[in-house]
């Protein structure tokens, strides 16, 4: 990554500035979170549970101690990696819903590498495997990128469809070429690889916990993405394309190429997330026995939520991913502790998302309808805030009447 | 996806702040005061425990107000926690009625929490009631004993009562109560034997345990004493709640010639309805069921819990908070035979009943032995499973299996279901092991890899995983699997005999594990029965896609299939289509008869309790793992459940039964 | 033998008995007909949901929560059917549930200007969890709908159509209604004032606003239509396709429906083409497996065919119609875009 040493001060300065300036800001979404949890409490209570007991379990399960926090970081890692990729894509006005497929592609390619070179030294195998994961994800992002840039195929369509393709590909590979053949001979026909070489295990960072190198990788990648987006000309052009294709084209930028690059980079992050998922998994192997989502943990979708919570900013995505990861970990703890039905927890996370995303405007809406608010001081960042405007893939042709495909 | 930067920042900041605050709160835990700003929705008491592993931290005494001293003058505050509905005309209603009856003789303040079949929910309720100063908290269900034993120690000033049991745990604030329901059963049985004209009596029991077993055993013994030539057919439906199955059982009894029936537990209402339709006489227990079917209820054994409740209340008035055990009997008036005068019972038979009551009271008649001795302590079992616990398939089979095991010994069960995310399951497995469960069941072959790693960290905990036969060579891992090819073979042979079009459709999920085993066995069985039959196998490549399963069934039908089977939880979609198209259906993993009673011919049912009891026994012996178990037809772990409502010809049923016998004696090899 | 087995069409069976080997078995008129019929049934739920979503998107609002609304609609319809035994009530409740979710979503995205992508995912998660929760609390084990066959029987006038292949048109009434949505919505969007307003606020909300069209009200209406149809799609899935409810029974169908809107370039006819293509490939693959043409590894690989073919089809058939320009952009009067 680029010049990490020299910019430490600038980052901290940047953080402090905003913390001071926006002390009051977070109170609104915080209230919204509490409101969502209150609605959830009513649901828990309505279905015969004890909300206080449940929330206590949820909270302690996610943040109640070092080991619990470690679990949260493990859960947050794929969200963070996918989220960082989402930041890049959405900044280029490309809506990448293909995180699931890109995770799978990264996981598959990195697993193939480890299966092929099991005896390689740890210092070489793990980096190689992680790179393979990034490459796999990048390929999976490249396809919809090319389709969008050169064949006018909307990326929402292609990424949703490619998720399906990747899922079945994973099933095919893990039931056939990549299956644990020794286990099959022993009569255990399970759709998974054998235990991968220990040289590919992601090292545990904290003694008895599950916290592993993955969260550090995620943080480094997030910082790298920040520099890419705001400190390189490629990042500038990606954001410019996201702001306005036409203006960028007038300015001499290669719009198509930037779109492909944004989706490829985005896929690369998700693919890296897939590799981290494999090598940090408790089982140290790739399995599709629970279906593709059993492996991806739906991080391809939840990562979008994390990125948007983080304001499509790679650095803010770090705490956002940890928070959302904590919500997921706590939710599982809640089910174990109170034996409340799991779906309650899924519904609850949906409520939190909806409430938080609505909260900011809700307050303004209540206060002064239609009044314009000041926009933040830093003009450069704000320009890019226009983010993705989905599917604006053609010059704004007024849709003609009766123009059927 | 437009987002103004201002909000973007506030979200990021919110996330950062929350994370920091939460982390601070987490670290503050033991040595500081609770979080200064306390944003958490569930503020923890300041002097909380420091051990994060035990979430169920006992409340320190400062939070709840001390319960008011029990004054005989004021109203007695009584709380009831019961497993089924308080209007169930059975077990729960009996205690609610009993407390109501007590309320007529003294002033009471009563609160009821019913329907808490989840033991942990009940534990919460019991604790809540104790905290809010109730004088007497009744835990009405033997499954609550384990929790009560823990909770009662934290509230020495509160009286607890629990039943049905005679074990007060040696605690000075716990009363135990039970009912000698074998006595009433014996009385009713003797009358039933005198009443039957066909010489056949049907008994519909829930699960062979506790109060129900006591009643049924007494009934059988009474009937035998009255007339040894009478056949008493006892069927346990293995469920306290399955009304449909109870009804089916009653139908089966009638078809076997029963003209007199009895039954116990709350699901029995289904059987009463059938008895009424068929005009069979009915003997009731636990509560007076006359109002259910005035035409056929002959007599009911009624539990008058107020007899012992008034003794408990009197003891509390004296300042005695527990340590005593009470039993309802005919002699102390706690059991009462209520005759239904609307039923024209002949005076002779009524006299037989009344004489038997007198004989039991004066000791001249001995009904039975005692209740089974209480086991030393509950076995703590945790289940982690991939799909919903009510999926009528893979996950439900293990949950039902553990529930069945729980009827023969005391268990404390926790379930984490729907964890299709393998890493989440790994966290759950680890948590359960850390919180001291005796046996952690990882019910899904996808969990094996994680289990192998985790089990090594917890050598004192037993793990079980399936379906697999691989214990990883670890001394604390049991492996279990089902020879589902056996049942598949049986069902396949019947299917080949049943089809008229010569085409059979199979709807599979992904070609792997248990599903592959079943399908391969099915195909091979069909081929062995009739090689000319086409068996079309379609794997939908998904365990969850119901619509695709439905459409696969449509495709089979369009290719002429008139008989189908399928496995995994998405198969419910295919069953619906089969029903619409009138195709016969063979089920596996769980009894799917209730899904489509018209078309389900037979189901291969997994009885995991067969191997779970072996595992539990091994744990009792001190063996923590290293063994592998397989459900087979021979060991009773696989069971072909025929749907009697489906008019299967005797020939084909015989084919199925012969195949079962052939597989058991080894003359048939299911391998393809 | 049970009477139910005799009910099968023996004539149909004979057709297959003689031509049941491999590809030649597939390329018989009879098999092709049932394949198409199967595709028509499969397409219905996609079609309803995607046509609805296209209306919402034409007004400039993306809804990624279609799948969640479908699940809620499916449960509402299923539970109503269980309780009342009236399939039309079930369908009505499915529509009602969809409308309520539409109001909620419109309030969030139009009134509160919330991020559409993220709030859609929130709605999805809520629907996924809440439908399962209600199911567990109110029903428990998956009880089948009684009399699932012929819930929405339709009587096609005999003699009017080619009687030789009744599978082609012998569908229940709701399937016909689903396909009738295509001309209905096309007319609505292209030939009514409301439709004109929808297109106006989707492409140039500022201009529409200055002409006195209420952007908020129009978007509310469009979202309401979209979500109501999503609820209906769920109801059809529960009442017509499967006759049962289990958790997450849509299995991502709502997301595919969103993708099909892009396939159809926001035109109902295009959405119809996409739904039929996706479903036809699905049903053909199923038929091939049934006929034994595909098995094992080949079957696993071809399971991805519907998704892959949909992408390829769009690459081959390039089209130039763009998205509504204001899609995903909240409207604030006076804002610059």
């Amino acid at each position: 990554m680029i010049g990490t040493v020299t910019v430490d001060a600038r980052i901290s300065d940047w953080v402090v500035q905003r913390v001071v300036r926006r002390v009051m800001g977070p109170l609104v979404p915080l209230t919204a979170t509490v409101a969502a949890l209150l609605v959830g409490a009513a649901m828990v209570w309505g279905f015969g549970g004890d909300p206080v007991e449940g929330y206590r379990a949820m909270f302690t399960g996610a943040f109640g101690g070092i080991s619990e926090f470690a679990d949260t970081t493990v859960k947050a890692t794929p969200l963070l990696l996918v989220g960082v990729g989402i930041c890049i894509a959405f900044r280029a006005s490309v809506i990448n819903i293909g995180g699931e497929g890109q995770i799978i592609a990264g996981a598959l390619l990195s697993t193939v590498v480890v299966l092929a070179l099991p005896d390689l030294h740890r210092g070489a195998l793990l980096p190689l495997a992680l790179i393979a994961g990034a490459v796999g994800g990048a390929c999976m992002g490249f396809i919809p990128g090319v389709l969008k840039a050169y064949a006018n195929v909307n990326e929402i369509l292609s990424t949703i469809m490619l998720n399906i393709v990747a899922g079945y590909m994973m099933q095919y590979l893990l039931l056939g070429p990549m299956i644990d053949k020794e286990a099959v001979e022993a009569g255990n026909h399970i759709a998974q690889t054998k235990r991968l070489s220990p040289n590919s295990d992601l090292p545990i960072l904290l003694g008895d916990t599950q916290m592993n190198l993955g969260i550090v990788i995620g943080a480094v990648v997030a910082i790298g993405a920040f520099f890419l987006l705001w400190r390189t000309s490629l990042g500038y052009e990606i954001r410019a394309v996201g702001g306005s294709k036409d203006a960028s084209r007038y300015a001499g930028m290669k719009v198509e190429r930037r779109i492909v690059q944004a989706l490829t980079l985005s896929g690369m992050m998700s693919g890296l997330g897939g590799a981290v998922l494999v090598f940090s998994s408790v089982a140290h192997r790739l399995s599709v026995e629970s279906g593709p989502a059993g492996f991806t943990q739906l991080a391809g979708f939840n990562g979008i939520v994390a990125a948007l919570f983080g304001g499509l900013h790679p650095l803010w995505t770090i705490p956002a991913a940890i928070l959302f990861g904590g919500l997921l970990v706590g939710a599982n703890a809640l089910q174990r502790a109170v034996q409340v039905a799991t779906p309650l927890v899924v519904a609850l996370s949906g409520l939190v998302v909806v409430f938080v995303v609505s909260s900011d405007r809700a307050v303004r809406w209540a206060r002064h309808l239609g009044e314009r608010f000041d926009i933040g001081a830093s003009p450069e960042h704000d320009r890019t805030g226009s983010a993705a405007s989905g599917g604006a893939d053609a010059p704004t042709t007024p849709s003609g009447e009766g123009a059927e495909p | 996806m437009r987002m103004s930067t201002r909000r973007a920042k506030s979200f990021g900041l919110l996330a950062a702040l929350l994370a920091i605050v939460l982390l601070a709160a987490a670290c503050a835990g033991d040595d500081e005061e609770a979080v200064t700003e306390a944003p958490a929705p569930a503020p923890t008491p300041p002097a909380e425990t420091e051990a994060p592993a035990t979430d169920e931290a006992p409340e320190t005494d400062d939070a709840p107000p001390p319960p008011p001293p029990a004054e005989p003058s004021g109203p007695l505050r009584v709380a009831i926690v019961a497993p089924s509905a308080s209007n169930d005309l059975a077990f729960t209603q009996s205690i609610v009625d009993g407390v109501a009856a007590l309320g007529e003789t003294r002033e009471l303040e009563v609160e009821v929490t019913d329907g808490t079949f989840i033991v942990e929910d009940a534990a919460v309720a019991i604790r809540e009631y104790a905290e809010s100063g109730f004088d007497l908290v009744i835990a009405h269900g033997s499954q609550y004993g384990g929790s009560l034993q823990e909770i009662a120690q934290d509230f020495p000033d509160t009286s607890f009562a629990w039943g049905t049991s005679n074990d007060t745990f040696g605690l000075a604030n716990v009363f135990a109560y039970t009912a000698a329901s074998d006595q009433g059963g014996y009385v009713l049985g003797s009358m039933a034997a005198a009443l039957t004209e066909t010489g056949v009596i049907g008994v519909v029991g829930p699960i062979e345990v506790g109060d129900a077993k006591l009643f049924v055993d007494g009934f059988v013994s009474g009937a035998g004493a009255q007339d040894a030539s009478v056949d008493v057919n006892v069927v346990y439906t293995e469920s306290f709640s399955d009304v449909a199955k109870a009804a089916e059982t009653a139908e089966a009894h009638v078809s076997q010639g029963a003209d007199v029936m009895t039954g116990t537990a709350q699901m029995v209402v289904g059987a009463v309805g059938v008895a009424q339709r068929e005009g069979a006489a009915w003997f009731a227990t636990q509560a007076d069921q006359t109002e259910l079917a005035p035409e056929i209820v002959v007599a009911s054994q009624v539990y008058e819990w107020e007899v012992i409740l008034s003794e408990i209340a009197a003891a509390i008035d004296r300042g005695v908070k527990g340590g005593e055990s009470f039993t309802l009997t005919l002699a102390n008036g706690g059991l009462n035979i209520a005759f239904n005068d609307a039923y024209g019972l002949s005076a002779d038979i009524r006299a037989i009943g009344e004489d038997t009551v007198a004989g039991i009271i004066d000791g001249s008649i001995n009904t039975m032995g005692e209740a089974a001795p209480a086991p030393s302590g509950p076995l703590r079992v945790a289940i982690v499973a991939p799909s919903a616990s009510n999926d009528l398939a893979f996950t439900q089979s293990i949950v039902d299996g553990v529930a069945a095991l729980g009827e023969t010994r005391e268990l404390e069960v926790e379930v984490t279901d729907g964890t299709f995310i393998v890493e989440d399951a790994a966290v759950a497995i680890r948590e359960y092991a850390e919180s001291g469960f005796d046996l952690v069941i990882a019910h899904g072959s996808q969990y094996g890899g994680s289990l192998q790693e985790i089990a090594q960290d917890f050598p004192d905990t037993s793990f079980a995983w399936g379906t697999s036969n691989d214990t990883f060579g670890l001394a604390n891992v049991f492996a279990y699997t089902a020879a589902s090819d056996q049942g598949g073979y049986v069902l396949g042979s019947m299917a080949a005999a049943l089809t008229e079009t010569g085409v059979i459709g199979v709807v599979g999920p992904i070609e792997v594990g248990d599903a592959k085993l079943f399908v391969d066995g099915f195909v091979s069985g069909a081929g062995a029965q009739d090689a000319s039959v086409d068996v079309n196998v379609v794997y939908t490549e998904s365990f969850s896609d119901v619509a695709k399963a439905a459409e696969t069934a449509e495709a089979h039908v369009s290719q002429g299939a008139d008989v189908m089977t399928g496995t995994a939880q998405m198969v419910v979609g295919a069953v619906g289509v089969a029903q619409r198209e009138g195709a016969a259906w063979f089920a596996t993993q769980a009894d799917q008869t209730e899904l489509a009673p018209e078309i389900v011919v037979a189901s291969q049912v997994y009885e995991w309790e067969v191997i779970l009891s072996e595992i539990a026994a091994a744990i009792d012996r001190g063996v923590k793992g290293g063994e592998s178990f397989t459900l087979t037809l021979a060991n009773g772990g696989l069971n072909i459940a025929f749907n009697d409502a489906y008019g299967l010809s005797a020939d084909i049923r015989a084919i199925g039964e012969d195949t079962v016998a052939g597989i058991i004696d080894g003359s048939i090899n299911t391998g393809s | 033998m049970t009477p139910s087995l005799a009910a099968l069409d023996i004539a149909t069976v004979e057709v297959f008995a003689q031509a049941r080997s491999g590809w030649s078995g597939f390329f018989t008129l009879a098999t092709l007909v049932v394949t198409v019929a199967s595709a028509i049934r499969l397409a219905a739920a996609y079609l309803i949901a995607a046509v609805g979503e296209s209306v919402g998107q034409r007004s400039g609002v993306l809804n990624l929560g279609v799948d969640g609304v479908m699940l809620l609609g499916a449960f509402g319809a299923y539970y109503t059917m269980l309780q009342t035994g009236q399939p039309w009530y079930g369908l009505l409740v499915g529509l009602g549930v969809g409308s309520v979710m539409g109001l909620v979503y419109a309030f969030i995205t139009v009134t509160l200007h919330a991020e559409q992508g993220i709030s859609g995912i929130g709605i999805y998660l809520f629907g996924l969890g809440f439908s399962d929760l209600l199911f567990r609390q109110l029903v428990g084990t998956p009880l089948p709908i009684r009399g699932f066959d012929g819930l929405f029987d339709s009587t096609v006038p005999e003699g009017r159509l080619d009687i030789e292949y009744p599978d082609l048109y012998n569908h229940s009434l709701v399937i016909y209604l689903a396909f009738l949505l295509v001309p209905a919505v096309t007319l609505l969007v292209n030939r009514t004032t409301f439709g004109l307003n929808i297109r106006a606020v989707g492409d140039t909300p500022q201009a529409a606003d200055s002409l006195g069209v209420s952007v908020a009200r129009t978007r509310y209406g469009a979202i309401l239509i979209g979500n109501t149809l999503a609820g209906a799609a769920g109801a059809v899935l529960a009442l017509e396709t499967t006759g049962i409810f289990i958790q997450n029974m849509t299995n991502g169908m709502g997301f595919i429906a969103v993708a099909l809107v892009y396939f159809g370039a926001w035109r109902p006819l295009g959405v119809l083409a996409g739904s039929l293509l996706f479903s036809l490939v699905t049903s053909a693959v199923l038929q091939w497996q049934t006929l034994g043409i595909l098995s094992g590894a080949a079957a696993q690989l071809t399971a991805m065919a519907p998704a892959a073919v949909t992408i390829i089809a769009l690459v081959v058939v390039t089209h130039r119609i763009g998205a509504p320009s204001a899609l995903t952009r909240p409207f604030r009067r006076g804002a610059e875009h």
Side-chain angles (χ1 to χ4, degrees), chain A residues 1 84-85 87-88 220-230 269 314:
Chain A
M1 305 292 133
V84 168
C87 290
I88 298 173
V220 169
V221 166
I223 294 168
F226 167 72
F227 278 101
L228 176 85
L229 279 174
W230 276 286
M269 307 300 170

Side-chain angles (χ1 to χ4, degrees), chain A residues 193-241:
Chain A
T193 64
K194 64 182 180 193
R195 200 236 186 259
L196 298 172
S197 161
N199 289 349
S200 66
D201 294 356
L202 273 177
I204 299 280
L205 293 183
L206 264 179
D208 283 337
T209 72
Q210 299 295 306
M211 187 187 285
N212 57 60
L213 194 62
I215 188 72
V216 176
I217 295 174
V220 169
V221 166
I223 294 168
F226 167 72
F227 278 101
L228 176 85
L229 279 174
W230 276 286
R231 298 289 184 272
T232 67
S233 60
L234 173 64
Y236 174 75
E237 290 194 10
I238 285 179
R239 289 181 294 126
V241 168

Side-chain angles (χ1 to χ4, degrees), chain A residues 18-19 21-23 25-26 29-30 33-34 37 48 50 52-53 55-57 59-60 63-69 71 75 90 95 168 171 175 186-192 195 210 277 280-285 287-290 293-295 297-298 308-312 316 319-320 322-323 332 335-339 342 356-357 359-361 364 373-374 376-378 381-382 385-390, chain B residues 1-19 21-23 25-27 35 39-45 48 52-53 55-57 59 118 120-121 124 128 386 413-424 426-432 434 444-454 457 465 467-470 472 510-514 516 540-543 545 548:
Chain A
R18 273 149 191 81
V19 169
R21 199 189 301 151
R22 305 287 181 214
V23 166
L30 185 66
T33 309
V34 172
L37 291 179
D50 176 352
V52 176
E53 183 76 10
Y55 282 144
R56 184 187 302 168
F59 174 74
T60 52
F63 299 103
I66 297 299
S67 152
E68 284 75 8
F69 184 70
D71 285 345
K75 195 79 176 174
F90 279 30
I95 301 183
Y168 285 124
Q171 272 177 202
L175 279 167
N188 286 314
H189 203 102
I190 303 173
Q192 63 186 21
R195 200 236 186 259
Q210 299 295 306
L277 270 176
S280 70
S281 68
V282 177
H284 300 292
R285 62 179 92 202
S287 165
V288 74
E289 183 79 9
S290 275
F295 164 71
Q297 316 187 1
L298 292 176
L308 289 167
F309 267 11
L312 291 182
W316 286 121
I322 288 177
L323 195 68
N332 290 332
Q335 194 216 355
R336 278 198 301 283
V338 194
Q339 294 279 287
T342 342
V356 171
V357 79
S359 62
D360 194 39
R361 304 282 176 205
R364 299 189 194 194
F373 265 61
D374 74 303
S378 161
H381 294 181
D382 288 327
S386 64
S389 68
Chain B
M1 302 268 164
R2 178 171 174 83
M3 168 175 287
S4 89
T5 313
R6 183 181 189 279
R7 210 196 53 195
K9 283 177 200 153
S10 50
F11 271 128
L13 197 58
L14 156 78
L17 269 192
L18 263 184
V21 169
L22 294 181
L23 192 58
C27 301
V35 198
T44 45
E48 255 292 74
D55 286 335
E56 304 279 318
E59 296 288 334
I118 297 174
E120 286 305 303
D121 292 353
V124 171
E128 291 287 317
V413 181
E414 282 199 16
V415 179
T416 296
D417 65 349
T419 43
F420 63 94
I421 296 177
V422 177
E423 291 304 300
D424 288 351
V427 171
I429 292 168
R430 188 179 288 279
E431 290 284 321
Y432 281 133
E434 278 173 358
S445 42
Q446 61 267 48
Y447 302 152
S450 322
L451 189 72
Q452 183 174 6
E453 306 294 322
I454 297 169
D457 296 343
W465 84 289
T467 55
S468 165
N469 54 19
D470 186 1
F472 314 117
I510 301 175
E511 192 172 358
V512 69
D514 183 68
K516 177 173 163 57
T540 66
E541 308 301 336
S542 163
F543 279 93
D545 196 333
K548 205 161 166 189

Side-chain angles (χ1 to χ4, degrees), chain B residues 161-334:
Chain B
W162 83 291
T164 56
S165 164
N166 52 19
D167 185 2
T168 64
F169 312 117
L171 294 176
N173 62 335
V174 174
F175 295 103
Y177 61 86
T178 184
S181 54
D182 54 324
Q183 296 188 346
Y186 192 94
V187 175
L188 300 183
S190 61
M191 285 196 285
L195 185 63
T196 177
E197 289 179 353
T198 60
V200 182
I201 299 173
V203 179
V204 183
I207 300 175
E208 193 172 358
V209 67
D211 184 66
K213 176 172 162 55
L214 216 54
F215 171 76
V216 171
D217 290 354
F219 186 91
V220 172
S221 147
Q226 178 66 29
D227 183 349
S229 73
V230 167
D231 279 328
V232 184
N233 298 330
V234 178
V235 173
Y236 286 100
T237 66
E238 306 303 336
S239 161
F240 279 93
S241 54
D242 193 335
V243 180
K245 207 160 162 191
E248 278 312 310
T249 309
E251 294 276 12
H253 280 315
V254 170
S255 70
Q256 294 297 326
D259 61 345
V260 176
M261 285 192 274
T262 189
T264 178
Q266 60 268 27
M267 85 296 167
V268 93
V269 290
V272 175
V274 171
Q276 182 161 29
R277 191 175 60 211
E278 304 286 348
W282 182 265
F283 288 92
T285 184
Q286 291 186 330
D288 190 342
Q289 292 173 346
T290 302
E291 65 175 277
L292 264 182
E295 301 87 356
I296 59 151
V297 172
V298 182
S300 305
Q301 167 176 242
V302 183
Y303 294 0
E304 313 277 7
W305 292 115
E306 58 269 30
V307 170
I308 57 143
L309 287 172
S310 64
E311 290 192 50
I312 290 176
I316 292 176
D317 289 346
R318 291 199 309 273
V320 176
K321 299 217 168 289
E324 297 176 25
S325 167
F326 302 93
T327 303
L328 292 187
T329 62
L330 289 169
N332 67 16

Side-chain angles (χ1 to χ4, degrees), chain A residues 48-50 53 338, chain B residues 56 78-83 111-134 136-140 144 147-148 151 155 158-160:
Chain A
D50 176 352
E53 183 76 10
V338 194
Chain B
E56 304 279 318
V78 180
I80 306 170
V81 180
E111 281 197 20
V112 180
T113 298
D114 64 350
T116 46
F117 60 94
I118 297 174
V119 175
E120 286 305 303
D121 292 353
V124 171
I126 292 168
R127 185 179 288 278
E128 291 287 317
Y129 282 132
E131 278 174 359
S132 30
F134 277 78
L136 173 63
V137 181
I138 302 174
H140 190 60
Y144 302 152
S147 325
L148 189 72
I151 298 169
F155 299 94
T158 305
S159 274
F160 296 88

